[in-house]
């Protein structure tokens, strides 16, 4: 039983501001430790639940947030950027199931801490086959291509709702109650981490008994519609081979499957970077 733990930072215990998740800031250094402790709690619970092997993917910013010297030594860490599968690096290497730890809601969601989709500066909306999606739906759909169910997600209460809309039966752990984009009722990390341990163990036991969520089943081919923040970004993203320009800020392209769609989406967002 091999588990992928895909980790983001905005949904980490106590996080409410960009300073706390921006590399180089003093607050980021503090919250790296809390982020690592949240992951360790999920690792501990997963081993209690019967997992044999865990690989962790650091999916926030440049993928260099988790502290390897404080990470549970039973897990291996994928770190750095860019990597072939980004936030879910290692997914294609015999993974049986996945956890999403520290996730956040899609861009434009009310009552959601640091809501955005991949890039707060560039992506206004993402649609997969006409369905609006955040990182939960995007990464979960890629997991589905490889037959991997997402068993557990942690983050604020709003991304929990988003996850349950995509994945029936998923375990969720609420790390904070968001009142707005930059305000929330936060819980002490040790309280959240105990909930993570329990939820991780429960999710693994359910999975090993043949219960729990099924993999998302993407419909092929995949049409990605990407609405960017500015028309200058549309100018650049439209250079992606196969892209169709729908309006000043929006491009669309069709891919044969989710891996191709995922990498084309990443390429389009990279092209749209303002310099």
């Amino acid at each position: 039983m091999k588990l992928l733990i895909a980790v983001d930072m905005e949904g980490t215990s106590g996080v409410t501001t960009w300073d706390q998740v921006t590399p180089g800031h003093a607050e980021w250094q503090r919250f790296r430790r809390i982020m690592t402790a949240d992951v360790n709690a999920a690792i501990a619970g997963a081993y209690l639940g019967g997992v044999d092997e865990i690989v962790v993917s650091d999916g926030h910013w440049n993928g260099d947030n988790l502290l390897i010297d404080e990470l549970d030594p039973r897990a291996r860490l994928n770190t750095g950027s860019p990597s072939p599968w980004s936030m879910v690096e290692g997914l294609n290497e015999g993974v049986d199931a996945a956890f999403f730890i520290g996730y956040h809601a899609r861009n434009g969601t009310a009552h959601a801490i640091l809501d955005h989709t991949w890039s707060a500066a560039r992506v206004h909306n993402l649609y997969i086959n006409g369905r609006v999606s955040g990182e939960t739906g995007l990464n979960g759909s890629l997991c589905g291509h490889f037959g991997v169910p997402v068993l557990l997600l942690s983050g604020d209460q709003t991304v929990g709702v988003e996850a349950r809309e995509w994945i029936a039966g998923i375990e969720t752990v609420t790390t904070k109650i968001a009142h707005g984009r930059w305000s929330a009722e936060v819980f002490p990390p040790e309280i959240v981490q105990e909930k993570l341990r329990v939820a991780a163990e429960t999710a693994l036991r359910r999975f090993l008994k043949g219960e729990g969520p099924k993999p998302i089943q993407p419909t092929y081919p995949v049409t990605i519609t990407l609405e960017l923040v500015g028309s200058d970004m549309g100018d650049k993203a439209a250079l992606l081979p196969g892209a169709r320009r729908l309006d000043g800020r929006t491009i669309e392209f069709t891919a044969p499957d989710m891996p191709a769609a995922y990498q084309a989406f990443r390429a389009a967002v990279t092209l749209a970077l303002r310099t």
Side-chain angles (χ1 to χ4, degrees):
M1 167 61 204
K2 183 176 181 179
L3 176 70
L4 172 69
I5 300 182
V7 191
D8 208 350
M9 197 169 190
E10 289 84 358
T12 293
S13 299
V15 164
T16 57
T17 72
W18 291 118
D19 287 348
Q20 293 162 341
V21 300
T22 300
H25 198 283
E27 282 289 276
W28 171 70
Q29 293 290 358
R30 184 163 69 97
F31 277 89
R32 294 176 73 191
R33 290 182 168 79
I34 299 175
M35 179 187 187
T36 305
D38 280 6
V39 174
N40 282 342
I43 292 170
Y47 273 106
L48 288 173
V51 76
D52 298 305
E53 183 181 357
I54 293 178
V55 60
V56 176
S57 178
D58 187 336
H60 179 68
W61 211 283
N62 289 326
D64 56 357
N65 311 277
L66 291 166
L67 299 170
I68 187 61
D69 52 329
E70 295 185 14
L71 189 69
D72 189 316
R74 294 174 292 182
R76 301 193 312 279
L77 175 64
N78 281 316
T79 183
S81 180
S83 57
W85 302 115
S86 191
M87 296 183 74
V88 286
E89 181 60 33
L91 174 64
N92 60 325
E93 298 174 358
V95 169
D96 298 293
F99 289 173
F100 289 173
I101 301 299
Y103 267 50
H104 55 82
R106 66 178 177 83
N107 192 52
T109 305
H111 310 301
I113 288 294
L114 304 182
D115 59 293
H116 67 282
T117 301
W118 203 271
S119 168
R122 282 170 271 170
V123 179
H124 187 68
N125 271 314
L126 164 67
Y127 298 86
I128 302 175
N129 288 330
R131 182 179 182 182
V132 67
S133 175
E135 292 167 29
T136 300
L138 177 66
N139 292 327
S141 295
L142 183 61
C143 287
H145 173 86
F146 292 99
V148 174
V150 183
L151 309 181
L152 168 67
L153 176 141
S154 70
D156 67 26
Q157 84 283 9
T158 304
V159 73
V161 172
E162 185 177 321
R164 291 189 292 273
E165 290 172 348
W166 280 89
I167 306 162
I170 189 172
E171 295 277 343
T172 59
V173 173
T174 301
T175 60
K176 67 204 80 175
I177 303 295
H179 303 311
R181 199 181 196 204
W182 301 303
S183 64
E185 176 187 353
V186 298
F187 309 123
E190 58 267 29
I191 300 299
V192 173
Q193 288 153 16
E194 178 57 28
K195 290 181 179 179
L196 279 167
R197 278 188 286 271
V198 171
E201 180 178 0
T202 299
L204 258 297
R205 291 192 185 279
R206 289 176 64 205
F207 174 75
L208 292 172
K209 289 195 297 184
E211 302 171 359
K214 304 300 181 187
I216 293 174
Q217 296 292 325
T219 301
Y220 293 153
V222 182
T223 297
I224 296 291
T225 307
L226 176 58
E227 185 182 359
L228 296 153
V229 169
S231 60
D232 59 318
M233 296 179 182
D235 292 340
K236 295 176 180 180
L239 298 174
L240 181 77
R244 302 178 292 276
R245 188 85 175 262
L246 301 187
D247 61 33
R249 297 188 295 125
T250 309
I251 67 164
E252 186 174 271
F253 52 86
T254 300
D257 56 27
M258 267 312 300
Y262 192 84
Q263 294 191 334
F265 164 76
R266 291 173 58 200
V269 175
T270 300
L271 283 170
L273 179 65
R274 283 176 172 153
T275 55

